[in-house]
Amino acid sequence: MSCKVVIGAQWGDEGKGKIIDILSRDADIIVRYQGGNNAGHTVVIGDREFILHLIPSGILRKGKLCVIGNGVVVDPEALLKEIDMLKAKGIKIDGNLLISESSHVILPYHKVIDKRRGAHIGTTGRGIGPCYVDKMARCGIRMIDIVNKETLRRKLSANLEDSDEFNFGQIYKEYLEYGKKIKKYLVNVSSLLNKAIAKKKDILFEGAQGTLLDIDHGTYPYVTSSSATAGGACTGAGVGPTRIDKVIGVVKAYTTRIGEGPFPTEFKKGLMEKIRTKGKEFGATTGRPRRCGWFDAVIVKHAVTVNGMDEIVVTKLDVLDEMDKIKICTGYRYKGKVYKDFPADIDILEKCIPVYEVRDGWMKDTTSAAKYKDLPENAKKYLARLSKLLNVKIGMVSVGSKREQAFRI
Ligand code: IMP
């Protein structure tokens, strides 16, 4: 029995979908605990590609229980669409999916506000931030509220009291309908998980986004509005920290980010196009091109620390196969000083000159490597160097999008 948390160690899109899919083979229950349909987890099974935004990717394996915790913000329309999409592809949902009664609901006004006010952050426009704002302001509407006519009427009318823009009747009717369809999935997730832990079940907590997008530990304010770090698993699912056995971080062999905000190791145009094309670096949720750059050991070291990572998984190593020189950022130079630790001052991140060490690439195809031994010498050296800089063990390496293109080391 064990409880593992898998989280992103950069700005999201580290390839967590695939790693969670592999790790969920041995899990009984897979839990999402924060974020909403701003996430996009891509899983390739055979020649079929699935992109999941809300439902844990464990749903693609037969007989796994998938759970959405209280820390998630759920857009019922997006949830029902995802359920229909999966059912149409022959995936069993009923009996395999449960949702916390306490998770907060994204309403139409959240999406409108997000599109209006989130532009400078480059949000996904899915209403995530404004929904968490209402949660913290104690005027949010929870899943349990949309299955109760009176509660929904009271809360929604209070929220729309001063609004000429949104039609109470229309939203009320629409959300009651969603409530009817979703009711069968609602449970007390904390109670369910703690009973499962007592029965020694294997539980996998899947983080969405990444550490540098975490509301507390990321590049604030260019972050998402939830706790994307390992601690979020406890508050977002109702499981105590003493129950977590292992924290696994997922890192790309280079760095990407979507949306606005500082990115010290960002490539210039030529290299940007090359890596973006090779790594298929386009957002799974919005289709936006991802910004790409060299591996930044400063941010990942920060992620290792704030998450208490036991090991990391390095993904997309193959994307660097054709690079004759590979750089690793080991510090930030700013106003005559070199910062080796992650600075809270956004000005340093925006204006610093990255300090790089330059390594020889391996210039060989790694996509067919089936074990660590198969990797070219320079690829092994690159991994060893990352492990040393980050002071954490590398547990697995991924060299392509397919399930079989990954091995433990
Ligand atoms: P929001 O989560 O839609 O509020 O967006 C806030 C920031 O997080 C923006 O820069 C988004 O591009 C980024 N973001 C949100 N979800 C993801 C994700 O799953 N992967 C990568 N970036 C994300």
Side-chain angles (χ1 to χ4, degrees), residues 58-336:
I59 202 79
L60 304 174
R61 290 191 181 269
K62 276 198 187 126
K64 305 288 176 186
L65 180 60
C66 290
V67 174
I68 293 179
N70 57 278
V72 177
V73 286
V74 182
D75 179 342
E77 187 188 0
L79 173 74
L80 291 166
K81 257 196 203 149
E82 197 160 302
I83 290 176
D84 287 346
M85 178 276 288
L86 287 167
K87 281 184 174 169
K89 291 187 173 183
I91 307 292
K92 184 173 174 287
I93 303 289
D94 294 357
N96 289 353
L97 176 67
L98 293 171
I99 301 167
S100 167
E101 300 160 327
S102 312
S103 54
H104 279 247
V105 176
I106 297 178
L107 285 121
Y109 45 88
H110 294 138
K111 294 186 239 185
V112 172
I113 297 169
D114 195 15
K115 286 192 186 109
R116 226 175 260 159
R117 295 202 202 135
H120 68 293
I121 304 285
T123 68
T124 59
R126 302 290 194 264
I128 309 297
C131 185
Y132 279 115
V133 167
D134 279 2
K135 174 176 175 174
M136 292 302 171
R138 293 158 292 179
C139 62
I141 292 177
R142 302 188 299 169
M143 272 295 171
I144 195 69
D145 303 330
I146 66 167
V147 296
N148 182 324
K149 279 185 186 171
E150 279 321 304
T151 315
L152 182 62
R153 179 185 297 282
R154 181 172 45 81
K155 288 193 163 183
L156 188 62
S157 58
N159 285 356
L160 294 180
E161 204 172 37
D162 303 319
S163 169
D164 305 324
E165 201 178 351
F166 300 99
N167 182 304
F168 167 83
Q170 203 179 327
I171 300 177
Y172 180 63
K173 212 170 128 215
E174 185 185 338
Y175 276 69
L176 277 183
E177 277 311 304
Y178 292 145
K180 280 186 200 154
K181 291 185 183 156
I182 293 172
K183 192 174 177 185
K184 63 180 171 189
Y185 301 112
L186 301 185
V187 291
N188 178 333
V189 162
S190 170
S191 164
L192 174 122
L193 292 178
N194 283 286
K195 281 181 190 153
I197 290 169
K199 286 188 188 149
K200 309 229 176 293
K201 298 282 185 199
D202 266 291
I203 303 177
L204 189 65
F205 294 89
E206 70 165 65
Q209 289 84 47
T211 302
L212 275 297
L213 288 173
D214 180 274
I215 188 77
D216 287 285
H217 301 290
T219 43
Y220 190 88
Y222 300 99
V223 292
T224 191
S225 299
S226 64
S227 299
T229 39
C234 297
T235 53
V239 167
T242 50
R243 301 290 178 265
I244 306 295
D245 302 293
K246 193 169 187 181
V247 177
I248 301 169
V250 184
V251 289
K252 227 175 248 190
Y254 48 100
T255 313
T256 62
R257 94 170 283 179
I258 292 203
E260 302 305 315
F263 185 171
T265 65
E266 189 165 11
F267 291 140
K268 300 250 170 356
K269 207 164 171 253
L271 208 44
M272 177 80 82
E273 288 303 320
K274 189 172 170 180
I275 294 293
R276 183 181 285 153
T277 309
K278 176 117 206 257
K280 299 195 184 72
E281 296 294 357
F282 296 89
T285 299
T286 56
R288 290 178 291 174
R290 293 183 187 138
R291 300 157 64 191
C292 307
W294 293 117
F295 190 92
D296 183 340
V298 180
I299 62 159
V300 181
K301 215 170 66 181
H302 167 68
V304 170
T305 308
V306 298
N307 289 291
M309 281 178 206
D310 296 296
E311 63 177 69
I312 57 169
V313 176
V314 179
T315 63
K316 293 193 149 186
L317 186 70
D318 57 296
V319 176
L320 300 180
D321 283 355
E322 287 148 33
M323 307 299 295
D324 59 343
K325 295 283 175 203
I326 297 176
K327 292 186 185 175
I328 303 174
C329 169
T330 57
Y332 304 144
R333 193 180 303 280
Y334 177 77
K335 292 193 177 164

